[in-house]
Amino acid sequence: MDAMKTATPLLAPRPMTAQLGLDAIMKNAPIGILFTRQSLLVQANEQCAAIFGYTVEELVGRQAVVLYPSEKDYESLGVIASSPLMAGELFQTDYEMQRKDGCRVWCRLRGRAINPQHVVDGTLWTIEDITEERLITQALENRTHELTAIFESQAMGVAIIRESRIVRSNQRWEALRRMVAELSGDQSEDLFFPDSGMYDRLQQFASLQFQLGLVFSTEQKYLHDDGRSSWLRMVGTAFDAAHPKAGAVWMLEDITDRRLAEETLRDARDILESRVQERTKELESVVVQLQQEISERIRAERNVWEIAHHDSLTGLPNRMLLHDRLEQVLASGQRNNHQAAVMFLDLDHFKKINDTLGHAIGDELLKQVAQRLTGVVRAVDTVSRIGGDEFVILLHEISSVGDALLVAEKILAVLEPTIMIEKYSLQVTPSIGISIYPDDASDALVLMKNADAAMYHAKDAGRNTFRLYSSKMDEQASRFFAIEQRLQQAIKTGQMVLHYQPLIDWGSRTVCGMEALVRWNDPVHGLIMPSDFISIAEETGLIVPLGEWVLAEALRQNHLWQEAGRLVVPISVNLSPRQFRQPGLADTVRRILLETGQPANFLELEITESSLMHDAHETISILDELAALGVRIAIDDFGTGYSSLSYLKRFHVHKLKIDQSFVCDVTTDSDDVAIVTAVVGLAESMGLETIAEGVERLDQLNALIRLGCHKFQGYLFSRSLPAEAADSIFSPAIPQGMQQHISF
Ligand code: C2E
Ligand code: MG
Ligand code: MG
């Protein structure tokens, strides 16, 4: 403002009208107007005073320097303004000045010397407060600087592209572009893409993205000559989606390291993946193998289970599985409050079929019976085979006892038709015992035992029938048990006695033998007959000691008779099936013969036909052993069993005792006549003796004589008597009217 110091003097007064016009200008001008002369503020309008925070009166007359922050600022302005002012030019500058309150104010100063040749005349200034504009501009500049700094310092290449032309780009962009250009030997702008086709496609796609207001992004790979590869990532953002021509900002980033890291990672992952796949395959095959092994094991276990729980012949559940099922049925019966039935079934006389026709036929018969039984019950019920010819049928749920009886009737009906096996037509009947849950018992074993007991009652009732268990059966069973106990005691304490019955040789009219028949002389019940205890002794095994006693006692008695001068005859002793098969029988017999001093041919062993036919092979060897001792063998109750003639021929026997059941009606029943005739004929042809048992009447005797029988046993001659009655036994009664022919 030194220039102002040399400015022209104050303006000369103007005529009134001009003065008024000037005043009006000063007052209304929308801009500050100031007139300075020689460093003094000579005149100012209100706008000017307001800019600096003064009133016009306060301002006028002051030193111009008050409007500057410092003397130095004032002088600096003077330096730059003086030459244009002196040249008569308009001086214009934006300058920071100071308000009355000390605050800075940016002003746009325009000044012109009133008289350039004589600047001390003063200078006229217009002043605009541009502080605000200045602040905005400053801020914009700062922003521009910042952006430029950012733009240039980018680790990324940045370019502004407008209508496919690069308007601006930073160094990094150019560097990357050069790199790509070097690689391709081409300098064109679209070189960021491996080929122009791709460039077109991507550009199309990019402009589409821009239109949608989206950011476009792509990653491209570039191959170096040395085999290296570089990766660039391009990201484009349109300035204004609505105006494509406004251009877009693009950023280029060298992502080689990242991609390489990713590739390495991917490779590692691929290797890992393939290893995992390999291992997975290995594992899969191991798993498959394991699964196979497991299923084989399960199959094997199931097989073992099947075998362990089923009867191999019929395929039916066996005793073990039956018990499992029975337990289940009882548990569910208890839960659901329903009834169930256990049916114990035994085939009548099955053993005879098995013994006479052979095991193969017997097995086939059991299979067919199993099939028929399975057909009469529901699928939920259980038909099991628990041994030999014993079946147990479990009716899982019944609504009443009637259901079980109905099934029993069905079983009888289904087994009625004959069963054809090979050339044999076989008739098989069952005996069935039934026990009901929970009426008869709630325990599996007791239910089975009760059904078993009921089955024996069905047998006793004549077979081919069924019986429901009743508590009376228990009483009988306990009676059986009591008898067993007492019998054991009886054998020990000598309550057993032998009675003797003579055998008569009609031809010579002599007693030709003596059969020993055991009785139990019970102190309370009196004389008990063998039919009441032999079967119990047989079942319990007591028959073995009892049988030994009988044998020894009979031989001892015969010895006594011989010593007493009685007729010397062989003594017949009965052997039960169990005794007959007792190991060491021949040794026992030999020992007792020795002990009693009796020759072997004075002993005749009576064995029932059915007992012999059970396991014919074993029978042959036992009979051979006994024959080797010199003992005689008679087949007792002959005609009641199913003798196989081929076996009979091979049995070492001496006598057939025709069963009393054929003798009984031999006078009236032509069948019996036929049987007796056949037996006599058979014996003759085989060189065996025959004797008819149970001859009670004369007509029977006559009939038998006519049929070729010559030896007899029966009440007609003598009942069985104790040894003390020897006189009577050795002199049996002679039939009336035939006495004269008989001599003893
Ligand atoms: P068994 O060996 O067939 O004996 C014949 C049975 O018929 C005897 O009955 C005998 O008393 C009876 N009896 C004889 N003549 C007549 C007759 O004219 N009419 C009738 N109705 N019966 C007659 P017992 O003594 O009751 O013996 C029955 C069965 O008990 C015997 O039949 C035999 O199988 C068995 N037994 C008897 N004693 C023994 C023994 O010491 N050991 C074995 N294991 N069984 C024996
Ligand atoms: Mg006998
Ligand atoms: Mg007999």
Side-chain angles (χ1 to χ4, degrees), residues 584-609:
L585 172 70
D587 291 341
T588 308
V589 174
R590 187 190 295 114
R591 177 174 53 78
I592 295 173
L593 282 170
L594 275 173
E595 282 170 6
T596 52
Q598 284 292 295
N601 63 341
F602 274 29
L603 174 63
E604 186 168 81
L605 296 175
E606 291 191 7
I607 304 147
T608 57
E609 187 187 3

PDB file of all heavy atoms in Angstrom, residues 584-609:
ATOM      1  N   GLY A 584     -23.735-153.169  30.338  1.00  0.00           N
ATOM      2  CA  GLY A 584     -23.180-154.184  31.248  1.00  0.00           C
ATOM      3  C   GLY A 584     -24.211-155.198  31.693  1.00  0.00           C
ATOM      4  O   GLY A 584     -24.003-155.905  32.690  1.00  0.00           O
ATOM      5  N   LEU A 585     -25.339-155.294  30.953  1.00  0.00           N
ATOM      6  CA  LEU A 585     -26.398-156.246  31.335  1.00  0.00           C
ATOM      7  C   LEU A 585     -25.851-157.681  31.384  1.00  0.00           C
ATOM      8  O   LEU A 585     -26.063-158.415  32.359  1.00  0.00           O
ATOM      9  CB  LEU A 585     -27.565-156.129  30.340  1.00  0.00           C
ATOM     10  CG  LEU A 585     -28.644-157.191  30.488  1.00  0.00           C
ATOM     11  CD1 LEU A 585     -29.442-156.999  31.775  1.00  0.00           C
ATOM     12  CD2 LEU A 585     -29.602-157.168  29.283  1.00  0.00           C
ATOM     13  N   ALA A 586     -25.130-158.054  30.339  1.00  0.00           N
ATOM     14  CA  ALA A 586     -24.623-159.434  30.253  1.00  0.00           C
ATOM     15  C   ALA A 586     -23.712-159.730  31.452  1.00  0.00           C
ATOM     16  O   ALA A 586     -23.797-160.830  32.054  1.00  0.00           O
ATOM     17  CB  ALA A 586     -23.876-159.634  28.941  1.00  0.00           C
ATOM     18  N   ASP A 587     -22.884-158.756  31.822  1.00  0.00           N
ATOM     19  CA  ASP A 587     -21.983-158.960  32.968  1.00  0.00           C
ATOM     20  C   ASP A 587     -22.772-159.162  34.258  1.00  0.00           C
ATOM     21  O   ASP A 587     -22.452-160.033  35.068  1.00  0.00           O
ATOM     22  CB  ASP A 587     -21.068-157.735  33.134  1.00  0.00           C
ATOM     23  CG  ASP A 587     -20.072-157.638  31.999  1.00  0.00           C
ATOM     24  OD1 ASP A 587     -19.862-158.672  31.319  1.00  0.00           O
ATOM     25  OD2 ASP A 587     -19.533-156.538  31.780  1.00  0.00           O
ATOM     26  N   THR A 588     -23.818-158.317  34.413  1.00  0.00           N
ATOM     27  CA  THR A 588     -24.655-158.427  35.617  1.00  0.00           C
ATOM     28  C   THR A 588     -25.286-159.816  35.684  1.00  0.00           C
ATOM     29  O   THR A 588     -25.277-160.482  36.725  1.00  0.00           O
ATOM     30  CB  THR A 588     -25.757-157.346  35.586  1.00  0.00           C
ATOM     31  OG1 THR A 588     -25.130-156.082  35.348  1.00  0.00           O
ATOM     32  CG2 THR A 588     -26.539-157.286  36.868  1.00  0.00           C
ATOM     33  N   VAL A 589     -25.825-160.249  34.538  1.00  0.00           N
ATOM     34  CA  VAL A 589     -26.484-161.561  34.497  1.00  0.00           C
ATOM     35  C   VAL A 589     -25.471-162.660  34.847  1.00  0.00           C
ATOM     36  O   VAL A 589     -25.745-163.553  35.661  1.00  0.00           O
ATOM     37  CB  VAL A 589     -27.120-161.801  33.112  1.00  0.00           C
ATOM     38  CG1 VAL A 589     -27.675-163.219  32.997  1.00  0.00           C
ATOM     39  CG2 VAL A 589     -28.233-160.781  32.860  1.00  0.00           C
ATOM     40  N   ARG A 590     -24.283-162.546  34.229  1.00  0.00           N
ATOM     41  CA  ARG A 590     -23.243-163.568  34.478  1.00  0.00           C
ATOM     42  C   ARG A 590     -22.895-163.610  35.974  1.00  0.00           C
ATOM     43  O   ARG A 590     -22.835-164.684  36.579  1.00  0.00           O
ATOM     44  CB  ARG A 590     -21.984-163.259  33.667  1.00  0.00           C
ATOM     45  CG  ARG A 590     -20.957-164.376  33.771  1.00  0.00           C
ATOM     46  CD  ARG A 590     -19.600-164.016  33.194  1.00  0.00           C
ATOM     47  NE  ARG A 590     -19.656-163.784  31.761  1.00  0.00           N
ATOM     48  CZ  ARG A 590     -19.434-162.603  31.182  1.00  0.00           C
ATOM     49  NH1 ARG A 590     -19.159-161.551  31.928  1.00  0.00           N
ATOM     50  NH2 ARG A 590     -19.495-162.486  29.875  1.00  0.00           N
ATOM     51  N   ARG A 591     -22.731-162.435  36.542  1.00  0.00           N
ATOM     52  CA  ARG A 591     -22.361-162.362  37.964  1.00  0.00           C
ATOM     53  C   ARG A 591     -23.437-163.004  38.845  1.00  0.00           C
ATOM     54  O   ARG A 591     -23.138-163.844  39.710  1.00  0.00           O
ATOM     55  CB  ARG A 591     -22.174-160.887  38.354  1.00  0.00           C
ATOM     56  CG  ARG A 591     -21.860-160.676  39.818  1.00  0.00           C
ATOM     57  CD  ARG A 591     -21.546-159.212  40.120  1.00  0.00           C
ATOM     58  NE  ARG A 591     -22.556-158.259  39.664  1.00  0.00           N
ATOM     59  CZ  ARG A 591     -23.713-158.013  40.272  1.00  0.00           C
ATOM     60  NH1 ARG A 591     -24.015-158.654  41.383  1.00  0.00           N
ATOM     61  NH2 ARG A 591     -24.556-157.129  39.795  1.00  0.00           N
ATOM     62  N   ILE A 592     -24.703-162.678  38.552  1.00  0.00           N
ATOM     63  CA  ILE A 592     -25.790-163.192  39.404  1.00  0.00           C
ATOM     64  C   ILE A 592     -25.929-164.713  39.231  1.00  0.00           C
ATOM     65  O   ILE A 592     -26.184-165.453  40.191  1.00  0.00           O
ATOM     66  CB  ILE A 592     -27.105-162.439  39.120  1.00  0.00           C
ATOM     67  CG1 ILE A 592     -26.912-160.961  39.528  1.00  0.00           C
ATOM     68  CG2 ILE A 592     -28.288-163.045  39.867  1.00  0.00           C
ATOM     69  CD1 ILE A 592     -28.053-160.045  39.164  1.00  0.00           C
ATOM     70  N   LEU A 593     -25.730-165.167  37.977  1.00  0.00           N
ATOM     71  CA  LEU A 593     -25.773-166.619  37.750  1.00  0.00           C
ATOM     72  C   LEU A 593     -24.711-167.300  38.608  1.00  0.00           C
ATOM     73  O   LEU A 593     -24.967-168.311  39.263  1.00  0.00           O
ATOM     74  CB  LEU A 593     -25.525-166.931  36.274  1.00  0.00           C
ATOM     75  CG  LEU A 593     -26.712-166.718  35.322  1.00  0.00           C
ATOM     76  CD1 LEU A 593     -26.270-166.818  33.864  1.00  0.00           C
ATOM     77  CD2 LEU A 593     -27.820-167.750  35.582  1.00  0.00           C
ATOM     78  N   LEU A 594     -23.537-166.687  38.634  1.00  0.00           N
ATOM     79  CA  LEU A 594     -22.443-167.246  39.416  1.00  0.00           C
ATOM     80  C   LEU A 594     -22.762-167.226  40.903  1.00  0.00           C
ATOM     81  O   LEU A 594     -22.588-168.228  41.612  1.00  0.00           O
ATOM     82  CB  LEU A 594     -21.154-166.449  39.172  1.00  0.00           C
ATOM     83  CG  LEU A 594     -20.338-166.866  37.952  1.00  0.00           C
ATOM     84  CD1 LEU A 594     -19.176-165.897  37.724  1.00  0.00           C
ATOM     85  CD2 LEU A 594     -19.803-168.283  38.149  1.00  0.00           C
ATOM     86  N   GLU A 595     -23.284-166.078  41.336  1.00  0.00           N
ATOM     87  CA  GLU A 595     -23.591-165.920  42.764  1.00  0.00           C
ATOM     88  C   GLU A 595     -24.639-166.918  43.242  1.00  0.00           C
ATOM     89  O   GLU A 595     -24.606-167.396  44.360  1.00  0.00           O
ATOM     90  CB  GLU A 595     -24.108-164.495  43.024  1.00  0.00           C
ATOM     91  CG  GLU A 595     -23.008-163.464  43.067  1.00  0.00           C
ATOM     92  CD  GLU A 595     -23.553-162.028  43.080  1.00  0.00           C
ATOM     93  OE1 GLU A 595     -24.793-161.842  43.179  1.00  0.00           O
ATOM     94  OE2 GLU A 595     -22.717-161.114  42.965  1.00  0.00           O
ATOM     95  N   THR A 596     -25.619-167.218  42.357  1.00  0.00           N
ATOM     96  CA  THR A 596     -26.708-168.110  42.762  1.00  0.00           C
ATOM     97  C   THR A 596     -26.434-169.552  42.367  1.00  0.00           C
ATOM     98  O   THR A 596     -27.237-170.443  42.657  1.00  0.00           O
ATOM     99  CB  THR A 596     -28.023-167.656  42.110  1.00  0.00           C
ATOM    100  OG1 THR A 596     -27.810-167.526  40.708  1.00  0.00           O
ATOM    101  CG2 THR A 596     -28.489-166.325  42.662  1.00  0.00           C
ATOM    102  N   GLY A 597     -25.339-169.755  41.672  1.00  0.00           N
ATOM    103  CA  GLY A 597     -24.945-171.101  41.266  1.00  0.00           C
ATOM    104  C   GLY A 597     -25.909-171.736  40.287  1.00  0.00           C
ATOM    105  O   GLY A 597     -26.095-172.943  40.271  1.00  0.00           O
ATOM    106  N   GLN A 598     -26.547-170.935  39.463  1.00  0.00           N
ATOM    107  CA  GLN A 598     -27.517-171.460  38.495  1.00  0.00           C
ATOM    108  C   GLN A 598     -26.905-171.513  37.097  1.00  0.00           C
ATOM    109  O   GLN A 598     -26.211-170.577  36.677  1.00  0.00           O
ATOM    110  CB  GLN A 598     -28.738-170.551  38.463  1.00  0.00           C
ATOM    111  CG  GLN A 598     -29.663-170.718  39.642  1.00  0.00           C
ATOM    112  CD  GLN A 598     -30.368-172.057  39.637  1.00  0.00           C
ATOM    113  OE1 GLN A 598     -31.163-172.371  38.766  1.00  0.00           O
ATOM    114  NE2 GLN A 598     -30.044-172.924  40.623  1.00  0.00           N
ATOM    115  N   PRO A 599     -27.154-172.608  36.417  1.00  0.00           N
ATOM    116  CA  PRO A 599     -26.654-172.657  35.031  1.00  0.00           C
ATOM    117  C   PRO A 599     -27.443-171.670  34.152  1.00  0.00           C
ATOM    118  O   PRO A 599     -28.617-171.419  34.408  1.00  0.00           O
ATOM    119  CB  PRO A 599     -26.918-174.099  34.604  1.00  0.00           C
ATOM    120  CG  PRO A 599     -27.906-174.645  35.559  1.00  0.00           C
ATOM    121  CD  PRO A 599     -27.863-173.841  36.818  1.00  0.00           C
ATOM    122  N   ALA A 600     -26.755-171.157  33.151  1.00  0.00           N
ATOM    123  CA  ALA A 600     -27.387-170.112  32.308  1.00  0.00           C
ATOM    124  C   ALA A 600     -28.629-170.616  31.606  1.00  0.00           C
ATOM    125  O   ALA A 600     -29.612-169.883  31.441  1.00  0.00           O
ATOM    126  CB  ALA A 600     -26.369-169.608  31.294  1.00  0.00           C
ATOM    127  N   ASN A 601     -28.655-171.884  31.190  1.00  0.00           N
ATOM    128  CA  ASN A 601     -29.827-172.346  30.432  1.00  0.00           C
ATOM    129  C   ASN A 601     -31.048-172.558  31.313  1.00  0.00           C
ATOM    130  O   ASN A 601     -32.094-172.936  30.854  1.00  0.00           O
ATOM    131  CB  ASN A 601     -29.473-173.605  29.628  1.00  0.00           C
ATOM    132  CG  ASN A 601     -29.093-174.752  30.538  1.00  0.00           C
ATOM    133  OD1 ASN A 601     -28.751-174.539  31.708  1.00  0.00           O
ATOM    134  ND2 ASN A 601     -29.165-175.972  30.028  1.00  0.00           N
ATOM    135  N   PHE A 602     -30.902-172.297  32.655  1.00  0.00           N
ATOM    136  CA  PHE A 602     -32.061-172.336  33.542  1.00  0.00           C
ATOM    137  C   PHE A 602     -32.658-170.940  33.736  1.00  0.00           C
ATOM    138  O   PHE A 602     -33.557-170.741  34.519  1.00  0.00           O
ATOM    139  CB  PHE A 602     -31.663-172.926  34.918  1.00  0.00           C
ATOM    140  CG  PHE A 602     -31.736-174.431  34.935  1.00  0.00           C
ATOM    141  CD1 PHE A 602     -31.535-175.177  33.768  1.00  0.00           C
ATOM    142  CD2 PHE A 602     -32.023-175.110  36.110  1.00  0.00           C
ATOM    143  CE1 PHE A 602     -31.601-176.560  33.788  1.00  0.00           C
ATOM    144  CE2 PHE A 602     -32.099-176.499  36.135  1.00  0.00           C
ATOM    145  CZ  PHE A 602     -31.883-177.239  34.977  1.00  0.00           C
ATOM    146  N   LEU A 603     -32.122-170.038  32.978  1.00  0.00           N
ATOM    147  CA  LEU A 603     -32.666-168.668  33.054  1.00  0.00           C
ATOM    148  C   LEU A 603     -33.213-168.265  31.693  1.00  0.00           C
ATOM    149  O   LEU A 603     -32.528-168.379  30.669  1.00  0.00           O
ATOM    150  CB  LEU A 603     -31.567-167.672  33.462  1.00  0.00           C
ATOM    151  CG  LEU A 603     -31.970-166.195  33.435  1.00  0.00           C
ATOM    152  CD1 LEU A 603     -33.089-165.911  34.431  1.00  0.00           C
ATOM    153  CD2 LEU A 603     -30.766-165.303  33.740  1.00  0.00           C
ATOM    154  N   GLU A 604     -34.501-167.829  31.700  1.00  0.00           N
ATOM    155  CA  GLU A 604     -35.096-167.308  30.460  1.00  0.00           C
ATOM    156  C   GLU A 604     -35.433-165.837  30.701  1.00  0.00           C
ATOM    157  O   GLU A 604     -36.105-165.525  31.676  1.00  0.00           O
ATOM    158  CB  GLU A 604     -36.364-168.089  30.142  1.00  0.00           C
ATOM    159  CG  GLU A 604     -36.951-167.717  28.802  1.00  0.00           C
ATOM    160  CD  GLU A 604     -38.031-168.709  28.369  1.00  0.00           C
ATOM    161  OE1 GLU A 604     -39.174-168.563  28.843  1.00  0.00           O
ATOM    162  OE2 GLU A 604     -37.733-169.623  27.583  1.00  0.00           O
ATOM    163  N   LEU A 605     -34.922-164.965  29.843  1.00  0.00           N
ATOM    164  CA  LEU A 605     -35.207-163.529  29.983  1.00  0.00           C
ATOM    165  C   LEU A 605     -36.328-163.142  29.033  1.00  0.00           C
ATOM    166  O   LEU A 605     -36.266-163.469  27.844  1.00  0.00           O
ATOM    167  CB  LEU A 605     -33.949-162.705  29.685  1.00  0.00           C
ATOM    168  CG  LEU A 605     -32.794-162.919  30.663  1.00  0.00           C
ATOM    169  CD1 LEU A 605     -31.555-162.156  30.196  1.00  0.00           C
ATOM    170  CD2 LEU A 605     -33.179-162.466  32.066  1.00  0.00           C
ATOM    171  N   GLU A 606     -37.385-162.508  29.595  1.00  0.00           N
ATOM    172  CA  GLU A 606     -38.516-162.090  28.756  1.00  0.00           C
ATOM    173  C   GLU A 606     -38.366-160.595  28.428  1.00  0.00           C
ATOM    174  O   GLU A 606     -38.275-159.769  29.340  1.00  0.00           O
ATOM    175  CB  GLU A 606     -39.845-162.331  29.486  1.00  0.00           C
ATOM    176  CG  GLU A 606     -40.152-163.802  29.653  1.00  0.00           C
ATOM    177  CD  GLU A 606     -41.577-164.028  30.135  1.00  0.00           C
ATOM    178  OE1 GLU A 606     -42.367-163.057  30.206  1.00  0.00           O
ATOM    179  OE2 GLU A 606     -41.895-165.180  30.456  1.00  0.00           O
ATOM    180  N   ILE A 607     -38.336-160.343  27.161  1.00  0.00           N
ATOM    181  CA  ILE A 607     -38.192-158.939  26.725  1.00  0.00           C
ATOM    182  C   ILE A 607     -39.344-158.630  25.779  1.00  0.00           C
ATOM    183  O   ILE A 607     -39.632-159.435  24.886  1.00  0.00           O
ATOM    184  CB  ILE A 607     -36.841-158.736  26.000  1.00  0.00           C
ATOM    185  CG1 ILE A 607     -35.692-159.181  26.924  1.00  0.00           C
ATOM    186  CG2 ILE A 607     -36.623-157.292  25.603  1.00  0.00           C
ATOM    187  CD1 ILE A 607     -34.527-159.778  26.192  1.00  0.00           C
ATOM    188  N   THR A 608     -40.004-157.503  26.012  1.00  0.00           N
ATOM    189  CA  THR A 608     -41.185-157.224  25.172  1.00  0.00           C
ATOM    190  C   THR A 608     -40.751-156.952  23.734  1.00  0.00           C
ATOM    191  O   THR A 608     -39.638-156.483  23.467  1.00  0.00           O
ATOM    192  CB  THR A 608     -41.981-156.002  25.678  1.00  0.00           C
ATOM    193  OG1 THR A 608     -41.098-154.904  25.707  1.00  0.00           O
ATOM    194  CG2 THR A 608     -42.582-156.225  27.039  1.00  0.00           C
ATOM    195  N   GLU A 609     -41.706-157.216  22.843  1.00  0.00           N
ATOM    196  CA  GLU A 609     -41.431-157.071  21.416  1.00  0.00           C
ATOM    197  C   GLU A 609     -41.040-155.618  21.084  1.00  0.00           C
ATOM    198  O   GLU A 609     -40.063-155.371  20.396  1.00  0.00           O
ATOM    199  CB  GLU A 609     -42.681-157.466  20.628  1.00  0.00           C
ATOM    200  CG  GLU A 609     -42.440-157.501  19.133  1.00  0.00           C
ATOM    201  CD  GLU A 609     -43.747-157.726  18.369  1.00  0.00           C
ATOM    202  OE1 GLU A 609     -44.809-157.787  18.997  1.00  0.00           O
ATOM    203  OE2 GLU A 609     -43.670-157.839  17.137  1.00  0.00           O
TER     204      GLU A 609
END
